[in-house]
Amino acid sequence: LPQERGHEDLPVLWRWSVQVYVVAVLAAALAGLAWWWPRDAARALQVFISVLVVTCPCGLGIAVPLARTLADQRLARAGVTLRQPGVLDRLRAVRQVWLDKTGTLTLADLELADDGALDGLDDAARRALMGAAAASRHPVSRALYRELAARGTPYPEDGAAVEQPGEGVAFTDAAGAWFLGRSMAPDGRARAELRRDGRPVAAFALHERVLMDAPAAVERLGAQGLAVGLLSGDARGRVEAMARQLGLAPGAARAECSPQAKAAAVAERPSLMLGDGLNDALALQGAVVSGSPAWERSALADQSDLTFASGSLAWLPELFATARGLHRALWGNLIFAWSYNLVLVAFALAGVFSPLVCAVTMPASSLIVSAATARALAR
């Protein structure tokens, strides 16, 4: 199992090997010197030098940083940035992938279905809507803010806004107590509603576009043995329609989730959680690995294990494939390092190798380690 967040998780054998390597090499060289000295002093010096030269720490000293660098480069090309150490190590414990819907499985930007919905607002309602929308990073709020800004609506000089995760934004000014929250349109589409003192003032229908490669990414995750689920605060009809579009198993999508419900789902089994809003914060904190979109420049993104470029989900199965490639490279090089050093040291102790042969053999092993690491991360 992975260590706690923030720590690298290297195999115990790796850490032990690094600790005993120098001592073991010196002990072998001195043992060879002591064995051969009474028999042949010249051969004893040859053996001593050969053991020191032929032993190669490359499998231990080069493999880890090289493999991790190649893994980081591979993910960077896919649009993923690892923000915390040990992410790829912890991924090996993940059995469940939970996805937020809006902003994660859909394009980050929503669009108003009817631009004229804003034109019917009076000045007080328009200022309150601007104050509420500007106080939230939620895709619905951003869509409304863009439209209001394009119309030249100024930010209200008075008033206070408070975001309520999973519910909406409350805005209070001299004109009254306003609330921008979600509601369900008759056709099941996303809709935001502005209320004043609890009474509806206006509703704004929005539409979202599902990422084109999301169904293929979900299928690839399933082929890798991972369960994939959908966690959303939206109404059941919309969430189930999204689940069918993604090809999720029955029951894999959970609708009308509060922040606490999302956190409880993540805690059921080792999970990776992707989300982009305050209503995902609890679930992201409880996940083995957490991720947020790169455009979400907030404390939420700063605390996440990774950030990703929006507009695609193809990077997600690539992330797991890279984690497996890194694990394969580390263990492959560890086996090579032990095999190489045990065999070559045995020949050196037997007096078969001269220091010159050892000087050629040692750098060759470095090339083998580098090539094997690159191949493991490229597959």
Side-chain angles (χ1 to χ4, degrees):
L1 289 178
Q3 297 177 350
E4 62 182 85
R5 185 167 299 180
H7 293 274
E8 297 289 352
D9 182 25
L10 293 175
V12 174
L13 191 55
W14 267 102
R15 298 195 291 270
W16 179 83
S17 299
V18 172
Q19 292 169 0
V20 305
Y21 176 79
V22 175
V23 175
V25 170
L26 289 176
L30 291 173
L33 181 66
W35 172 263
W36 281 100
W37 189 265
R39 297 166 176 80
D40 187 340
R43 180 64 64 87
L45 291 176
Q46 174 185 318
V47 168
F48 180 77
I49 296 173
S50 296
V51 170
L52 294 179
V53 173
V54 80
T55 51
C56 180
C58 305
L60 303 175
I62 293 179
V64 172
L66 177 61
R68 292 190 184 281
T69 299
L70 292 175
D72 289 344
Q73 291 176 349
R74 175 174 173 174
L75 293 176
R77 289 194 296 270
V80 181
T81 301
L82 303 181
R83 304 178 66 91
Q84 303 292 338
V87 175
L88 296 179
D89 301 311
R90 283 185 269 126
L91 272 174
R92 293 188 289 110
V94 170
R95 297 294 177 269
Q96 171 76 51
V97 176
W98 288 112
L99 307 172
D100 178 42
K101 186 175 71 65
T102 304
T104 301
L105 287 170
T106 64
L107 292 177
D109 296 329
L110 298 179
E111 298 177 353
L112 278 176
D114 181 11
D115 295 344
L118 296 174
D119 298 332
L121 298 177
D122 58 30
D123 291 341
R126 190 171 299 180
R127 285 195 301 271
L129 182 61
M130 170 59 90
S136 172
R137 296 284 297 169
H138 192 278
V140 171
S141 297
R142 290 201 308 272
L144 292 171
Y145 176 83
R146 285 196 308 272
E147 293 295 335
L148 289 168
R151 286 168 166 76
T153 304
Y155 185 81
E157 297 181 358
D158 60 341
V162 178
E163 185 171 10
Q164 300 175 7
E167 299 295 332
V169 182
F171 182 81
T172 306
D173 61 7
W178 306 81
F179 189 81
L180 176 63
R182 64 183 178 210
S183 64
M184 177 56 66
D187 58 2
R189 290 188 301 176
R191 189 172 72 170
E193 186 176 70
L194 179 66
R195 296 190 289 273
R196 178 180 181 180
D197 298 326
R199 295 188 299 274
V201 174
F204 311 96
L206 303 105
H207 48 115
E208 55 191 1
R209 290 174 289 173
V210 180
L211 300 180
M212 293 182 61
D213 56 11
V218 170
E219 182 179 359
R220 286 185 60 193
L221 290 171
Q224 295 178 21
L226 295 163
V228 183
L230 179 61
L231 296 176
S232 177
D234 290 342
R236 185 169 303 280
R238 291 179 59 212
V239 174
E240 290 178 348
M242 173 73 74
R244 289 192 296 271
Q245 188 171 353
L246 294 174
L248 294 179
R254 304 187 187 185
E256 301 176 357
C257 291
S258 65
Q260 292 76 17
K262 289 187 176 184
V266 167
E268 291 175 1
R269 52 192 308 205
S271 301
L272 175 145
M273 173 68 188
L274 300 183
D276 69 326
L278 287 178
N279 58 332
D280 302 312
L282 288 177
L284 292 171
Q285 291 175 6
V288 173
V289 176
S290 60
S292 298
W295 49 258
E296 185 65 26
R297 297 185 178 91
S298 64
L300 185 69
D302 292 338
Q303 295 171 4
S304 295
D305 293 312
L306 59 90
T307 55
F308 55 90
S310 58
S312 173
L313 205 65
W315 62 269
L316 186 52
E318 180 74 6
L319 177 68
F320 285 93
T322 302
R324 288 195 304 274
L326 176 63
H327 182 67
R328 185 169 55 242
L330 292 180
W331 276 103
N333 286 325
L334 179 60
I335 294 172
F336 172 80
W338 274 98
S339 302
Y340 168 88
N341 284 290
L342 289 175
V343 173
L344 272 295
V345 167
F347 279 111
L349 288 174
V352 175
F353 286 165
S354 68
L356 179 59
V357 172
C358 295
V360 174
T361 305
M362 194 275 286
S365 69
S366 300
L367 296 177
I368 294 174
V369 167
S370 301
T373 301
R375 181 174 182 273
L377 268 299
R379 277 165 35 187

